[in-house]
Amino acid sequence: REQHWTAIAIDFVIVVAGVFVGIQVANWNEARRGRTLEAEYIARLQRDYSAIDARLAINLTRWEYTSAATIRLLNDLDAFRQRGKWPRAKAEMLGDLDASMASRIPAPRAASYVELLSAGRLGLLRDSRLREALADYDTQAGFTMKAYDVLMQRIDPQRPILVRHMQFDRGADVAQIDPQKILRHGGEQWADVDLAQLASDPDMETALNTFASASFGQVLNVRLQQEKAKAVFALLGRGERPDGGAPP
């Protein structure tokens, strides 16, 4: 009888130990799958933010150029009204008129972050600082896009005021256009501008002021978005983890 209860006790311990080991192995496998998924998402986020960083750099260059071009035109108009002649060559002003109407769609949200968010997998990223930085960028990206839409609604009615004094270059060869130049400074597809007519247009200064205000606002928005993206990039590149371990 004593041997019978001893055998039962031993069997019970073996069963409990087996269940415990099984649970631990299952937990270990789950944690391992989580770390693998985390590593995959980290790599994807790095690719996303590398593209975002490049896009923001181009956008900032473009909007800074647009802002400077519009200010130059306002100064030209003031100089003409004071002295009766333009301080710069027509070709330079024509390029700035084109640049003042240029725009760049804001850099997007990070696709990998949107996927993590929609799938409820944000917890895979163990670094709380990274999660917060990703949320900050995503919020700023959404705000910048809304601000861009508002600014476009503000400046779109002003475009005809400039265009009615300009002549499109009908002989422009699309094959000869430099894509990088377009990205940064606009297409410069205009052949001529009637400066006398432009100077006498009572709506011209209002139009230029509207373009100047919009481009200045976009410069600020892009810089804010760039700061948020750099904060994410720094955490992604460092690969630190809350437990102090190496990145998976």
Side-chain angles (χ1 to χ4, degrees):
R1 190 179 297 111
E2 290 178 359
Q3 290 177 348
H4 179 68
W5 284 108
T6 300
I8 291 175
I10 292 173
D11 288 343
F12 177 77
V13 170
I14 291 173
V15 170
V16 171
V19 171
F20 176 77
V21 171
I23 292 174
Q24 290 299 106
V25 169
N27 289 340
W28 181 81
N29 285 332
E30 185 65 27
R32 185 179 179 183
R33 283 194 293 269
R35 288 194 296 271
T36 300
L37 275 174
E38 181 187 31
E40 292 174 359
Y41 274 110
I42 289 291
R44 289 176 58 185
L45 285 165
Q46 287 172 332
R47 290 193 294 271
D48 285 349
Y49 275 89
S50 179
I52 287 171
D53 185 62
R55 174 71 173 270
L56 286 168
I58 292 175
N59 282 12
L60 184 58
T61 298
R62 179 68 171 270
W63 283 113
E64 286 177 341
Y65 186 86
T66 296
S67 181
T70 311
I71 295 299
R72 285 193 294 267
L73 289 168
L74 283 167
N75 291 334
D76 289 339
L77 192 58
D78 286 343
F80 180 81
R81 289 172 176 173
Q82 292 173 9
R83 298 191 291 269
K85 64 178 183 178
W86 297 103
R88 292 192 297 155
K90 180 190 288 189
E92 294 179 12
M93 295 181 64
L94 192 58
D96 280 350
L97 283 165
D98 174 52
S100 67
M101 294 184 288
S103 64
R104 283 284 294 171
I105 297 174
R109 302 170 70 191
S112 298
Y113 176 77
V114 173
E115 182 179 318
L116 279 167
L117 207 59
S118 60
R121 288 182 164 182
L122 200 57
L124 286 171
L125 305 178
R126 290 173 288 165
D127 191 338
S128 61
R129 295 170 302 168
L130 177 58
R131 295 196 300 269
E132 290 172 3
L134 287 166
D136 284 346
Y137 172 81
D138 197 59
T139 300
Q140 184 61 47
F143 173 79
T144 302
M145 181 59 74
K146 289 180 180 179
Y148 172 81
D149 290 340
V150 171
L151 290 173
M152 290 303 101
Q153 292 173 10
R154 185 185 304 167
I155 67 176
D156 279 344
Q158 307 299 325
R159 295 181 191 276
I161 296 174
L162 273 64
V163 172
R164 66 191 176 204
H165 306 302
M166 302 164 69
Q167 180 180 338
F168 188 80
D169 185 2
R170 301 178 185 181
D173 184 358
V174 177
Q176 300 300 317
I177 294 175
D178 182 355
Q180 293 303 316
K181 189 175 183 180
I182 293 176
L183 285 174
R184 289 171 171 78
H185 308 309
E188 299 184 3
Q189 70 273 37
W190 304 99
D192 198 10
V193 56
D194 188 332
L195 292 179
Q197 191 180 67
L198 182 148
S200 63
D201 190 334
D203 298 323
M204 182 55 58
E205 187 170 3
T206 298
L208 290 175
N209 276 320
T210 302
F211 281 115
S213 174
S215 59
F216 184 79
Q218 281 302 103
V219 168
L220 295 179
N221 287 332
V222 174
R223 286 179 179 171
L224 286 172
Q225 195 173 353
Q226 201 172 43
E227 288 178 7
K228 302 295 186 182
K230 286 180 177 179
V232 173
F233 228 154
L235 290 168
L236 288 172
R238 188 180 303 128
E240 293 180 355
R241 295 295 177 266
D243 57 5

